Amino acid sequence: MPHRLDPSHPAPLARRLRLQQLAIFVQVVESGSVLAACGALAMTQPAVSKSIQDLEDQVGARLFERSKAGMRLTEAGAVFESHARLMLSQLRYLSEDLNALETGASGQLVVGTLIAASATLLPQALGLLRQRAPGVGVTVKVGSNSTLFPQLLKGEVDIVLGMLPDEAALAPQPGGSLLRHVPLFGEGLDVVLSARHPLAAQDSIGAEQLGGLEWILPTRESANYPAVQKFFRKRRLKLPDQPIESVSILTNLELIVQWNMAAMMPRSAARRFEQLGLVKTLAFAELEQVTRVGYTVRADRERSALVQNFIRALQDASGPAG
């Protein structure tokens, strides 16, 4: 059994832990078993198993429950995981900061985004960043704020781009917040039809015609959903009984173009698709400014030079309105 360390004397643990052990531990968690982790780590199974056993001895607690189905974190293992990931992410930040000091344009940037909220802004900003710092590698992770914000706090994502939380969520919270939200511009919605839709030739569409369309709506947890509800209520229209609920830009575009469905789409993306001749957009006053698009960073650490370079690219890409 692992021995128990004296919590009042953390120095022995700090001296004995090795960064490689943390990396092996995290890989086993992600792979679900020692055997699966071996391939990713290019290590033998005995070497990985010994590293995990040594780590448990040093920590003084069992980190995994072993079974034929694989490795499952214990309660202590879950606590250790969050700290291990944070320490590894801080090491990556250190490497990026040192590289940035030396070259000013290197390192690896991890951007989290909800593509529906940044369909045009993100590509423009990445293009500017690539132009200014061709040595920077970029990874884009797609997800919702509820998924990406925890990853940001763990250090797995450097910055999150997309729709910001509403005003109430942006207000200062007691004790402060670990996240800092920075608006760039207001974003509206357009009603979008296929360019070949029978109604696309009309300059305006009446309430009865809107009610007869097959609709794609934002998901109910989306920041845009309240605006959609208001839009239908104002025209005394019942919300569609069986809409397709989706915030996937590519899925929605295919349904619009191939199946003549109607959608509520973020204006920046809708206007871009209209320029390409794929859709017809219809603007409505109450959909002019529905949400705010911006970026979110951790408030408890200095932004690396690499993240600052990307923020400047975001500001330039968002234009005077940002």
Side-chain angles (χ1 to χ4, degrees):
M1 288 291 292
H3 65 272
R4 187 167 186 81
L5 296 176
D6 183 351
S8 66
H9 294 86
L13 180 61
R15 286 199 299 265
R16 295 174 65 185
L17 277 181
R18 300 188 306 276
L19 290 172
Q20 185 187 33
Q21 288 178 298
L22 302 183
I24 291 172
F25 169 82
V26 169
Q27 187 60 58
V28 171
V29 172
E30 293 179 350
S31 299
S33 71
V34 168
L35 183 61
C38 290
L41 293 166
M43 295 176 64
T44 65
Q45 186 170 350
V48 174
S49 296
K50 184 176 187 307
S51 177
I52 295 298
Q53 184 61 59
D54 289 346
L55 185 62
E56 289 180 323
D57 289 342
Q58 291 161 8
V59 171
R62 188 173 295 280
L63 302 177
F64 290 100
E65 293 289 349
R66 285 115 168 129
S67 71
K68 292 181 179 179
M71 307 274 279
R72 185 171 61 87
L73 286 173
T74 62
E75 185 176 358
V79 172
F80 188 83
E81 180 197 10
S82 65
H83 289 280
R85 289 185 182 276
L86 187 58
M87 284 186 279
L88 289 173
S89 70
Q90 290 296 329
L91 183 65
R92 180 168 65 85
Y93 291 143
L94 171 61
S95 176
E96 290 173 358
D97 287 345
L98 291 175
N99 285 335
L101 284 173
E102 183 178 354
T103 68
S106 64
Q108 183 71 26
L109 177 71
V110 183
V111 181
T113 186
L114 176 63
I115 290 296
S118 56
T120 55
L121 174 61
L122 180 57
Q124 290 170 3
L126 291 178
L128 289 173
L129 183 67
R130 175 68 66 178
Q131 192 177 61
R132 298 168 183 176
V136 170
V138 179
T139 299
V140 176
K141 292 188 175 183
V142 178
S144 64
N145 285 348
S146 61
T147 300
L148 295 172
F149 286 168
Q151 292 182 9
L152 180 61
L153 289 173
K154 290 179 183 177
E156 297 170 6
V157 170
D158 297 310
I159 185 169
V160 174
L161 175 65
M163 295 178 190
L164 297 180
D166 59 28
E167 293 290 342
L170 287 176
Q173 301 295 317
S177 172
L178 293 177
L179 297 177
R180 179 168 176 253
H181 307 285
V182 181
L184 292 170
F185 58 86
E187 176 73 293
L189 294 174
D190 279 337
V191 173
V192 179
L193 304 172
S194 167
R196 300 193 302 270
H197 194 284
L199 298 178
Q202 299 182 198
D203 292 330
S204 61
I205 297 179
E208 185 176 338
Q209 292 170 307
L210 287 170
L213 296 172
E214 291 288 329
W215 282 95
I216 309 161
L217 300 180
T219 55
R220 294 172 190 269
E221 66 271 14
S222 164
N224 287 330
Y225 194 75
V228 172
Q229 290 178 303
K230 182 178 178 182
F231 177 85
F232 278 85
R233 278 200 305 268
K234 181 176 180 180
R235 287 158 182 79
R236 298 182 180 177
L237 292 173
K238 181 184 174 184
L239 278 168
D241 290 327
Q242 299 295 336
I244 292 177
E245 295 188 3
S246 167
V247 292
S248 167
I249 287 287
L250 292 180
T251 299
N252 295 355
L253 182 62
E254 186 71 11
L255 289 168
I256 293 165
V257 172
Q258 296 298 329
W259 297 93
N260 270 345
M261 298 189 73
M264 298 275 195
M265 187 177 287
R267 179 156 299 168
S268 56
R271 300 295 169 88
R272 177 59 177 155
F273 293 141
E274 188 171 46
Q275 290 172 0
L276 296 173
L278 297 173
V279 303
K280 163 77 173 181
T281 63
L282 299 169
F284 294 87
E286 68 269 31
L287 299 176
E288 190 69 31
Q289 289 227 0
V290 174
T291 57
R292 299 194 300 172
V293 172
Y295 63 86
T296 301
V297 291
R298 283 178 53 171
D300 61 340
R301 75 176 300 271
E302 291 294 322
R303 293 187 290 278
S304 69
L306 179 52
V307 171
Q308 291 180 48
N309 285 341
F310 180 63
I311 289 173
R312 283 191 287 271
L314 283 174
Q315 293 167 336
D316 292 343
S318 63

